[in-house]
Amino acid sequence: MGFALQQNGQKMTLSISGEFVRYQDPAETDRLIRHIKKSNPKALVLTDAGIGRWDSSLLVVLYQIVRMARLAEIPVQKQTLPEGLQRLIDLAFSVDRKPSRPNPARLGFISYIGDVGIRAMNSVRRGLDFCRQICISMGRFVCGKAVLRPIDFWFALDDCAPKAVGIVSLISFMVGLILAFVGAIQLKSFGAQIYVASLVTIGMTRIMGAIMVGVIMAGRTGASFAATIGTMQVNEELDALQTMGISRTDFLVLPRVLALVLAMPVLAMLADIMGMLGGAAVGIFMLGISPPEYIHYSIEAFNLTNFFVGVFHGFVFGIVIALCGCYFGIHCGRNADSVGVATTKAVVYAIVWMIIMTGLITLMCEVLDI
Amino acid sequence: MMNQTLIDVQKLTIAYGDFVLLKDVSFQVKQGDIFIIMGGSGCGKSSLLRVLTGLTPASGGKAFVAGVDMVSASAAQKDVVMRRCGILYQSGALFSSMTVADNIALPLRQYTDYSDKMIRELVALKLALVGLAGFQDFYPSELSGGMKKRAGLARALALDPEIVYFDEPSAGLDPISSKLLDDLILDINQSLGTTIVIVTHELSSIFAIGRDSVFLDATKRSVGARGNPTELLKNPPNKTVYEFLTRGHTDAKGTK
């Protein structure tokens, strides 16, 4: 099995014999190519000297040799090769064009900074424009002119609320439990473990309940919004809506925003209750506080203002998560990868914006002395 | 060994719950043949292809591919058979996060012990064979629909399969690209002796390259006709087949 090169005057003959199934010997191929190139014959003859079974591994050797010969302008004769091989070699060289693609211009440092600035500005502009469209859609909804299918709203609400109850309850219970454990370690050293009840009640109702719900819903529902709308972008469903003259924000964003804005405060309340139950489990079963005593201290620490601040957080987080999910879904690219990118961005941006909003609300509460 | 039966479907039934999509489907595909699975929309062509490729379970019957019954075979047995097959999906089904070269190299890296250099050269060859020489570094999103299909075909051919399945290869292509793809299928069949199974309802492709065929009748939910497409047009066994092959013409010939 192998290749044999023979020089007959100006002509060079490459005799091929044997079986070539999963054959590989790149060094031999390189040697053949070098030799032919060096000899620079007037013609190269490829001869069948007893080729048995063959597959692409033989074809790839001949392809490389013929490619080199064409570049060196050496005519190739292959009439004695098996017909299939001849046809495939011809086929491989039947389309002779150079692929071209736009070359991205290389930017200098200053230009790069400028480019980043312009992109950031465009991104802010797109975000503000999206918020403006939502406000217009909301206005249309209030006036009863929005193109919105009630079934979409109920479907989104079902996905945001009842289906999220299990995971929100479990995580909030565990967070209450952890909060109580961590607090108890310090409070116990002062003999003040009874204040675990106050710590958990204030912590959960003021902020922790809402934050936990926010994080869960950003990962669960925000990601789902981005993936669903992103896939619609890939399938050209968003283009179809646009060409039908139907507002994408009315049709897709509004039901989701409304559903999440309604569901989030309720889920925040549920998280408060479950967190307090988690704290009670630690207080009663591990710290030996009697149930009436624990309930008494919890009620004493419970403050309606804190509770409503927590619920307000939930409301704001609902808007943030829905907007991030829908925005990145609508601005998704047109392939499977882009859907993954959109989903990741939706979750990351939602969490970042939730933290920013928490800071702003805290500042606002400070100023208003709430 | 040409003319040996490579695919043997016997009384195959495909059902989704209570809904029977196809029943009692039987046909054989000979080695080296170009076989067309044709029929109107919703007749079960793609479902049949999914059964043949082991992606969907059938409700009854047998579907032997290279001697292995894809209905009752284990996942491992199906994997072994599918390594001897290539599939070109409607959209090309290229992995968007990989370059064209990486898409084609994937099965070569997975199932062969070729060196990196050999794989690079094989990728260049496969791309040249489908008319995409030099497109190694492109991403699927940078290719047109026809190019994606050809790159998908290059990937399907990577392991020199014995059988290549095509799911609606001409769908979404302009007539020239469609003809080029048909020519390419013929070239591959004639040069490598690859058995080709094509699911399509494109009449131009059916008559241009089909040597044998099965017509799936959506009304009967079974085989409506068997044979060479041109012969079926000359002697249609029933009106449905005649209407399908003549794009809805109804004259006395079809009522034979």
Side-chain angles (χ1 to χ4, degrees), chain A residues 22-24 26 30 55-57 59-60 63-64 67 84 87-88 91-92 95 97 99-101 335-337, chain B residues 96-97 112-115 117-118 121-122 125-126 128-129 131 133-135 137-138 142 147 160 187 190-192:
Chain A
R22 294 278 160 99
Y23 164 85
Q24 66 169 329
D30 287 346
D55 63 12
S56 293
S57 57
L59 187 59
V60 81
Y63 173 67
Q64 288 175 79
R67 190 174 57 192
R87 197 181 286 123
L88 285 172
L91 188 61
V95 179
R97 64 166 179 212
S100 61
R101 76 212 301 190
N335 55 47
D337 242 10
Chain B
S96 56
S97 58
T112 68
D113 55 359
Y114 285 139
S115 64
K117 186 177 186 306
M118 183 70 177
E121 288 300 338
L122 273 168
L125 167 72
K126 301 289 172 179
L129 286 176
F135 279 82
D137 294 332
F138 281 61
E142 296 174 287
M147 286 170 158
D160 293 324
D187 274 327
Q190 286 166 9
S191 310
L192 296 167

Side-chain angles (χ1 to χ4, degrees), chain B residues 149-160:
Chain B
K149 284 201 180 184
R150 280 187 277 150
L153 180 56
R155 186 179 65 185
L157 295 173
L159 292 173
D160 293 324

Side-chain angles (χ1 to χ4, degrees), chain A residues 23-145:
Chain A
Y23 164 85
Q24 66 169 329
D25 190 352
E28 171 72 351
T29 311
D30 287 346
R31 189 188 66 78
L32 291 171
I33 289 173
R34 265 200 315 272
H35 193 90
I36 298 166
K37 225 176 185 176
K38 203 175 154 193
S39 309
N40 196 21
K42 290 273 179 250
L44 175 66
V45 184
L46 304 177
T47 314
D48 179 358
I51 299 174
R53 287 189 313 138
W54 58 271
D55 63 12
S56 293
S57 57
L58 170 61
L59 187 59
V60 81
V61 175
L62 299 181
Y63 173 67
Q64 288 175 79
I65 291 169
V66 175
R67 190 174 57 192
M68 179 278 300
R70 285 166 66 98
L71 283 173
E73 294 179 351
I74 303 168
V76 179
Q77 296 165 17
K78 53 182 185 315
Q79 289 85 344
T80 65
L81 287 181
E83 204 183 320
L85 262 179
Q86 285 185 49
R87 197 181 286 123
L88 285 172
I89 292 170
D90 288 339
L91 188 61
F93 293 100
S94 60
V95 179
D96 199 9
R97 64 166 179 212
K98 291 264 183 297
S100 61
R101 76 212 301 190
N103 246 341
R106 280 176 173 265
L107 297 176
F109 180 70
I110 302 290
S111 307
Y112 176 75
I113 299 287
D115 189 53
V116 169
I118 289 168
R119 278 191 209 193
M121 258 179 58
N122 285 340
S123 171
V124 170
R125 193 177 297 144
R126 268 207 311 268
L128 289 174
D129 186 53
F130 183 68
C131 292
R132 183 185 62 83
Q133 284 174 27
I134 300 288
C135 292
I136 294 170
S137 290
M138 203 60 90
R140 274 203 296 263
F141 173 68
V142 171
C143 300
K145 289 179 180 170

Side-chain angles (χ1 to χ4, degrees), chain B residues 194-215:
Chain B
T194 312
T195 307
I196 309 278
V197 177
I198 305 172
V199 166
T200 188
H201 48 212
E202 287 288 328
L203 291 177
S204 51
S205 294
I206 290 171
F207 292 121
I209 59 176
R211 290 191 206 131
D212 196 0
S213 70
V214 60
F215 174 82

